[in-house]
Amino acid sequence: MTARIEAVTGRYAHLALDGKPHRLYFEEAGQGIPLLCLHTAGSDGRQFRAVLNDPDITRHYRVVAFDMPWHGKSSPPAGWEKEDYRLTAAAYTDLIMTFVRELGLVRPVVMGCSIGGRIVLNLALEHARSLRALVGLQSAAYVERYYESAWLNHAEVHGGQACGAIAYGLMSPLSPEEHRWETVWHYMQGGPGIFTGDLHFYQVDGDLRDRIGAIDTAVCPLYMLTGEYDYSASPKDTAAAAARIRGAKVTIMKDLGHFPMSENPDAFLGYLRPVLDEIRATTK
């Protein structure tokens, strides 16, 4: 029996972020329009395995997914033991735009989920002219804090299992069990305190409610796709944000939850392909 080898390449990029050298892991597949994929809080780029392996997408798009520093196969910078990880909107935006510039991704489409779905709104405000289009998955301008995230890094709590349990509860019960449990596994592997540090951006620093009305979709189209089973960035939250962004295109994805690209890849691709086809046909 011959092994099936995926047409996905993994490499490391050496970048300077906030004045510190970083070794950032990324995977890519395909050719054409750059499509940069941003993973959720506490996880990594493996969530986009289905997008990277979809021939209908990679025929026209160069799909790229990186692991944020401190996540997946990207290590934290030297001296990490002397600081607490806290993600901010400024640092997140700088990471994305530095990666885009250093890898020569000319006017990419940027697609992010959860914290990635939040940061695409900030990209629409600050870097619209440098981007072809934005796709926000589980995207909202703000999410009310419904638990104290600090306990996820408490000495008496198993952080990996707790993060996995939260992820499991955010998914649709209709998504295939094998994909739901793989999504959980990714969360259980996160470093101590990393999910909590990401939630600092999601729940505190990344509140965009007062600014999203300034987004101009005539400069950079914005698509917002949200799973109906998500109680974190819910359809109601997405609709509230979209109501203040003239020209935003919203799709509520039936039977999907907070991690559509990994919890039910086949169903998600059915929603994503038409969006990417439209972007390819209507933008330059």
Side-chain angles (χ1 to χ4, degrees):
M1 182 176 179
T2 303
R4 182 175 67 88
I5 306 298
E6 296 182 4
V8 178
T9 300
R11 290 185 288 177
Y12 283 91
H14 291 255
L15 307 172
L17 301 169
D18 193 27
K20 299 178 180 179
H22 283 72
R23 185 169 178 258
L24 203 73
Y25 179 76
F26 70 97
E27 295 181 341
E28 66 173 301
Q31 58 185 352
I33 300 169
L35 172 60
L36 180 60
C37 301
L38 309 175
H39 61 76
T40 64
S43 192
D44 56 65
R46 287 176 293 178
Q47 293 179 319
F48 291 98
R49 66 196 184 283
V51 181
L52 285 157
N53 280 290
D54 185 70
D56 290 334
I57 294 176
T58 57
R59 185 177 299 115
H60 303 288
Y61 285 87
R62 177 189 176 189
V63 183
V64 183
F66 64 71
D67 295 349
M68 294 170 61
W70 306 75
H71 298 69
K73 296 175 77 172
S74 294
S75 296
W80 66 267
E81 71 279 6
K82 301 174 185 177
E83 61 180 291
D84 290 330
Y85 170 73
R86 290 290 182 273
L87 183 65
T88 66
Y92 198 1
T93 300
D94 179 65
L95 162 64
I96 295 164
M97 298 310 297
T98 298
F99 186 85
V100 166
R101 181 181 67 252
E102 294 297 311
L103 266 74
L105 305 182
V106 180
R107 296 193 65 241
V109 178
V110 179
M111 176 172 67
C113 186
S114 189
I115 60 169
R118 175 76 57 77
I119 203 64
V120 300
L121 301 179
N122 198 57
L123 293 175
L125 288 164
E126 298 183 3
H127 296 281
R129 295 191 182 279
S130 299
L131 306 171
R132 182 182 296 261
L134 292 161
V135 182
L137 310 176
Q138 314 309 127
S139 188
Y142 178 73
V143 172
E144 292 285 349
R145 300 181 72 171
Y146 48 90
Y147 62 89
E148 176 50 61
S149 62
W151 69 265
L152 293 172
N153 195 34
H154 193 282
E156 295 182 354
V157 174
H158 190 298
Q161 291 185 342
C163 292
I166 290 173
Y168 188 88
L170 289 169
M171 286 183 279
S172 166
L174 302 177
S175 291
E177 187 169 294
E178 66 172 298
H179 296 314
R180 281 187 287 154
W181 280 107
E182 183 176 355
T183 301
V184 168
W185 180 250
H186 297 164
Y187 263 84
M188 293 176 70
Q189 292 181 312
I194 302 308
F195 191 23
T196 302
D198 285 339
L199 292 179
H200 173 74
F201 161 73
Y202 194 57
Q203 298 177 338
V204 181
D205 185 74
D207 184 352
L208 297 177
R209 288 175 293 180
D210 294 338
R211 301 175 57 206
I212 58 172
I215 292 175
D216 188 350
T217 59
V219 175
C220 183
L222 173 64
Y223 298 82
M224 304 172 77
L225 286 69
T226 294
E228 66 174 348
Y229 275 90
D230 186 5
Y231 66 83
S232 177
S234 69
K236 181 179 178 181
D237 294 326
T238 298
R244 300 182 57 196
I245 306 172
R246 185 175 181 178
K249 298 184 178 182
V250 178
T251 299
I252 303 305
M253 298 182 287
K254 184 175 175 59
D255 297 340
L256 295 177
H258 190 74
F259 311 97
M261 63 284 181
S262 62
E263 68 177 75
N264 195 338
D266 289 341
F268 171 66
L269 290 174
Y271 286 101
L272 179 62
R273 291 187 194 110
V275 170
L276 295 179
D277 287 344
E278 181 175 319
I279 291 171
R280 185 165 57 88
T282 59
T283 64
K284 294 182 180 180

